[in-house]
Structure formats: structure tokens, C-alpha cells
Amino acid sequence: MKFQHISLLLFALLLSLASLSAAEPSNSQAKPNIILIIADDLGPGDLSCAGATKIKTPNIDRLAAEGVRFTQGYAPSATCTPSRYSLLTGEYAWRQKAKSNSILDGDAPLCIEPGRLTLPAMLRAANYQTGIVGKWHLGLGDGRTKVDFNNEVKPGPLEVGFDYCHIIPATVDRVPSVWIENHQVLGLDPADPIEVSYLAKIGDEPTGLERPDLLKQGADKQHSCTIINGTSRIGYMKGGIAARFKDEELASTVVAKSIEFIEQQKDKPFFLEVGLFEPHVPRVAEKPFVGSSGTGVRGDVIQQIDWEVGEILKALDRLQLANNTLVVFTSDNGPILFDGYYDRSVEDLNGHQPTSGLRGWKYLTFEGGCRVPFIARWPEHIQPRVSEQMISLVDCFATLAKIVDHEIAADAAMDSLDCQPRCWEIPIRTFVPKLCFTALAMRSRSARATGNIFPPPPKRVQVASAVVRTHPTLGLLPRTSPSQCCSISLPIQTSSATFSQCIPTRRASWLGNWNSSSPKAIQRNRLQQHAE
């Protein structure tokens, strides 16, 4: 009996040890939480950690000091919707032919096909809770019928991989000016239904053209449709008075909803995309930030961005999640000063350089249109430093898939490269295509080229000398040679290079299967060269 009793004790001890070994890993060993913060129209020179002297961004500076700041971060496009499409799909926007993914109106249909693998869907398959707060701008509805903002608004974020959303449909300057949570417009009075039109005026509310005296900021013709909260918008809106957002409360709402999601999901891995509205127009700073920068309202709302980032970082610290949370901060495209509203963004610049001296702005494929801040912090995993490695928003898909150990199917995220070998210490990406409307440019380590993509690109695209059209008020160089279709930041190759000579592809692309180079082969070769 004594021997039996000892055997039972040993058996119980073994069971206990087995249960301990099978238990959930500690917080430091678990899959990281992931927060992706995307500013809107923020330039590489808009942060004090990148050299800005007038604008102060201490919280983003802290993020950079504790992580890696890429000096060659790129948006895939010089405008918003195509960049956000590439971020979520791992695919350059020009490849998608079925749906429009140019700058979408607020009633445009969803430009990501429901059911395809997206970044949030991939992370959800890896047992993440996924959410998005703030700017969406990838369309809503199926396109077969006009989106009805008075009933369930779908398909949308929840149909392409997000478990939760608290968004505005497009940009702040486009109607409808409402918040949508999951499938419902918040605060909507059924007796006051919403109607939206981008074709003709509806309702009897005044427009900016009719009543400029009611405006807080003057606007050009495009931005002079229905006046909402003292600001005229692009497009016409009728009804939904109680549901309309207030511009001066947008930032606080983004912070509150982001922290609420983090608090609710703190005990399990989560992915949160935070779509900030600043410094996109119309620029409206909350009271604590009015006049705070010395560079006008654009600088004020950038300092507001810094506050938003700081509040999210404070929440991570308070909840003891910071050490196991990867925080990425970036922008959807480069900066712009005047963008439809007469807010004195040009006159009040006060010597500030949003592009860090790079040529061009948003809407152009010059470096200034696509070079963006790109910062990543993951304590104990990323060595703090400044990196000259090229990285693009399109790379987030493959990089995060590798981090969470999720295999990407052969037909998914075809343009996304895993840029994190040895925590982003080894350069992987050697080229960055840049898109804007119908102009396409390529930036590589040794050469740049531009090509015109009318009609859809053939297998070989000759360098064009007249692709990017300049505007005299922007102060760009005269358009006289292929070199002047490129940025001025690095030496430029002016020979008749072709895209097919310059761009290796992840898989088969519109350039054809270039030397059968897969990203895995490219990465394997580079890692081998690094080891040697």
C-alpha cells in the first residue's frame, strides 16, 4: 500500500509538471500585440526626432528612441486609398482591376474583395483579436446597390478581417460626416435619415459657395459643398444631423476608442489599426493645441498627433503591455500644404520643412510624395537605432506574418517582403515602386525610373521623360529630362533603363516573372551574403 501511495504521488507530480509545460507562455514569450498607427499626409520632416525644430513631438521621439526609425520609409502611393489598400492586402494597388481603389468618395463601394486574405484576416487566423479605429477610406457596400447609411452598412471592415471597427467612411473633408461602429451609424435618428450625393446638391442646407460667410475656413470649389459644423465638404449630405461628428472632437474620440479596445483585449493577442486624421484637411486642432506649434494650424495638429500617440503609449504602460507590444508609426503618403482649404498652412510655415527638403508633395511620385515616417518599437526585440534600410507599407503583411509565425499562401500578399530578419538589421528591400493616379515611379538603391501606365502596364515599360507634371507654384524643377521625373535625394541614373531591368518581383507580376526571383530567394541570398 505504501508503494502504491508513493506511485500515486509520483504520478500526480508528473501530471503537474506536464500541465506546467503545456501552459500558456509568459507575456515576454507570447505573440506580441500589434498596434499600427497611420497618420494622414504626414511628412518625413514633420517630427522633431527627424530634425524638425519648430514642431515638437516628444512622444513620437520616445517611440523612435526606444525602437528603429527608418529614414527610407515609403508609402506605396502618393495618395491615401491606394496606400491603405496595399497595406491591408500586401499588393500594389494597380494590380487590382475589379474595383476602383483611387481616392474614394464617401459612398464608394468596398475596394477589397470580401473573402480574400488581408492583413487583419491573416492575424485573426493566428488567433488575434483585430480592430480598427479612425480613418477607413477603402469603401463601403458591395457596389451593386447604393450604400444605405440608415441600415446595416456592409460589406466593410468586418468583412475583410476586422472583428471591430469605429471609423469614418472616407476622409474628414468628404461626406457623410459620421462615425460608423461595426455596421451602424452612431447616433442616427431614424426620423432624420441620411442621404449622400457626389453628383448634385440634395436638401436645403447651404453650401460653401452659397454662404461663404458661414465658414470657419474658406475653401476652393471642390471643397465647397454642404457645410457641416462650419466647414464645407466634398460632396452633398442631407439628414443625420444628430449623428454628425464635430471636427474638434475627432482626435479625442480616436484616443478613447483605441484605449477602450486595448483594455478590452489586454488578456489576449490583439491587432489594432489606428487611422489618425491629421494633418489631412480640414485641419482643426482641439483647444489645448491651438497655436501651440508656431507653424500655424498644420503644425498644431501634428503636435496633436503626438498627444494621441502619447496617450496610447501611456495606456500600454498602465496595463503593463508595452514590453510585448509592437508599435508601428507611419503615414499613408507624403505631406501637402494647401489642399483645398485656405488655412494659412503655406503662409504660417515659419521655415518648417515637411519633406525634409525632398522634392515634391502628396499627389506626385517624387520622393516628397511617398517618403514617410516609419518607426517600429518592440522592446527586447528591436535594437534602438536609426536605419537606412528601405521599407514600404506593403511590407507590413509579410513582416507581421513572419513575426506571428503564420505562413502566407502562394497567391496572397504578392508584393509584400519580410523585412525583419534579425529584427530589421539586414537590408532586404532593394526597390520601391511609387504610384500616383496614372503615373508610376520606381526608387531603387542604385537607380530610379519612371513609367507611364496608360493603358495597363505592358511587360516592359520604357522610361518616360514627361510622366510627372509639375506646377510652377510648387517650386519643382522644370520637366526636361528623365532624371527630373525622379527625386533629388540620391544620384539618379538617366540612361534608358526599363522597369523590367530594375524591379525584381515577389511572384509573377505585370512585368512578367523577372528572372524567377521570389522574395524568399532574394532574402536567402542577402542573408547568406550578410553571413559571409
Side-chain angles (χ1 to χ4, degrees), residues 149-151 178 184-194 239-243:
F149 292 99
N150 305 295
N151 292 298
V178 296
Q184 301 292 333
V185 172
L186 288 177
L188 179 63
D189 180 357
D192 185 26
I194 294 172
I241 301 293

Side-chain angles (χ1 to χ4, degrees), residues 9 16 46 49-50 63 112 118 141 160 169 173 230 467 485 488 498 527:
L9 286 175
S16 299
D46 280 326
C49 60
L63 198 68
I112 299 175
T118 62
V160 294
D173 58 345
V467 174
C485 289
I488 59 172
T498 62
L527 290 170

Side-chain angles (χ1 to χ4, degrees), residues 68 70 72-74 92 374 376 382 385 387 389-403 408 415-432 445 506 519 522-523 526-527:
V68 56
F70 294 94
Q72 297 192 72
Y74 284 88
Y92 294 126
F374 205 114
I382 293 178
R385 68 194 183 281
S387 173
Q389 176 178 333
M390 298 175 80
I391 190 167
S392 172
L393 268 66
V394 75
D395 297 324
C396 289
F397 198 126
T399 302
L400 293 177
K402 185 69 173 180
I403 287 173
I408 299 178
D415 297 305
S416 189
L417 295 178
D418 170 20
C419 290
Q420 61 82 48
R422 300 189 188 179
C423 293
W424 294 295
E425 292 178 357
I426 304 171
I428 296 298
R429 180 169 283 283
T430 59
F431 70 97
V432 178
R445 293 184 180 278
R506 185 170 189 263
I522 296 169
Q523 289 176 316
R526 294 190 67 78
L527 290 170

Side-chain angles (χ1 to χ4, degrees), residues 74 94 100 131 138 143 149 210 243 245 248 290 295 309 315 350 366 372 470 498:
Y74 284 88
W94 71 74
S100 172
L138 288 167
F149 292 99
E210 295 167 346
F245 59 65
E248 59 274 14
V290 175
T295 59
V309 172
N350 195 18
F366 295 115
V372 295
T470 63
T498 62

Side-chain angles (χ1 to χ4, degrees), residues 14 52 120 153 163 167 187 194 207 219 224-225 279 293 312 375 391 420 466 471 521:
L14 288 171
V153 183
D163 297 307
I167 59 166
I194 294 172
T207 68
S224 290
C225 298
S293 69
I312 292 172
I375 298 169
I391 190 167
Q420 61 82 48
H471 193 285

Side-chain angles (χ1 to χ4, degrees), residues 64-336:
E66 296 173 354
V68 56
R69 179 172 68 85
F70 294 94
T71 61
Q72 297 192 72
Y74 284 88
S77 172
T79 56
C80 42
T81 299
S83 286
R84 293 168 190 271
Y85 174 90
S86 296
L87 168 72
L88 292 191
T89 64
E91 174 184 275
Y92 294 126
W94 71 74
R95 297 191 192 281
Q96 209 269 75
K97 305 299 182 187
K99 294 175 180 282
S100 172
N101 53 24
S102 185
I103 303 176
L104 297 181
D105 289 331
D107 62 351
L110 180 66
C111 68
I112 299 175
E113 195 68 33
R116 73 167 294 169
L117 186 65
T118 62
L119 174 59
M122 178 272 293
L123 291 170
R124 188 161 65 180
N127 297 318
Y128 276 72
Q129 293 295 307
T130 59
I132 179 170
V133 172
K135 180 175 178 178
W136 172 239
H137 208 188
L138 288 167
L140 297 165
D142 58 16
R144 293 189 292 272
T145 57
K146 185 176 176 61
V147 61
D148 183 359
F149 292 99
N150 305 295
N151 292 298
E152 282 197 322
V153 183
K154 63 179 185 180
L158 303 193
E159 284 66 47
V160 294
F162 288 103
D163 297 307
Y164 171 79
C165 73
H166 190 102
I167 59 166
I168 69 166
T171 52
V172 180
D173 58 345
R174 284 174 168 81
V175 297
S177 302
V178 296
W179 284 104
I180 295 174
E181 188 168 49
N182 296 330
H183 290 139
Q184 301 292 333
V185 172
L186 288 177
L188 179 63
D189 180 357
D192 185 26
I194 294 172
E195 293 182 42
V196 171
S197 174
Y198 280 81
L199 300 176
K201 182 182 177 180
I202 54 176
D204 55 6
E205 292 184 70
T207 68
L209 289 177
E210 295 167 346
R211 292 294 306 275
D213 58 301
L214 298 179
L215 299 178
K216 298 175 183 176
Q217 300 175 0
D220 63 15
K221 185 176 179 180
Q222 182 190 20
H223 294 77
S224 290
C225 298
T226 304
I227 299 175
I228 297 173
N229 297 322
T231 300
S232 54
R233 316 284 166 159
I234 300 174
Y236 302 95
M237 180 177 177
K238 174 186 176 183
I241 301 293
R244 296 179 183 183
F245 59 65
K246 293 180 173 61
D247 300 78
E248 59 274 14
E249 296 176 357
L250 290 172
S252 292
T253 302
V254 167
V255 167
K257 286 299 178 179
S258 296
I259 293 175
E260 181 181 297
F261 180 85
I262 294 168
E263 290 173 339
Q264 291 175 350
Q265 309 301 333
K266 62 183 175 62
D267 295 324
K268 55 183 80 75
F270 65 80
F271 166 67
L272 174 62
E273 179 182 331
V274 183
L276 305 181
F277 301 117
E278 305 94 336
H280 195 285
V281 295
R283 301 173 181 123
V284 179
E286 297 192 9
K287 283 185 178 179
F289 305 100
V290 175
S292 63
S293 69
T295 59
V297 67
R298 186 177 181 278
D300 296 347
V301 298
I302 291 173
Q303 296 196 165
Q304 183 169 281
I305 287 175
D306 186 72
W307 168 78
E308 293 173 83
V309 172
E311 292 301 297
I312 292 172
L313 296 183
K314 284 180 188 176
L316 294 176
D317 291 337
R318 172 172 55 84
L319 298 169
Q320 299 183 349
L321 297 174
N323 282 345
N324 196 40
T325 299
L326 169 60
V327 180
V328 177
F329 177 84
T330 186
S331 177
D332 61 354
N333 47 252
I336 189 74

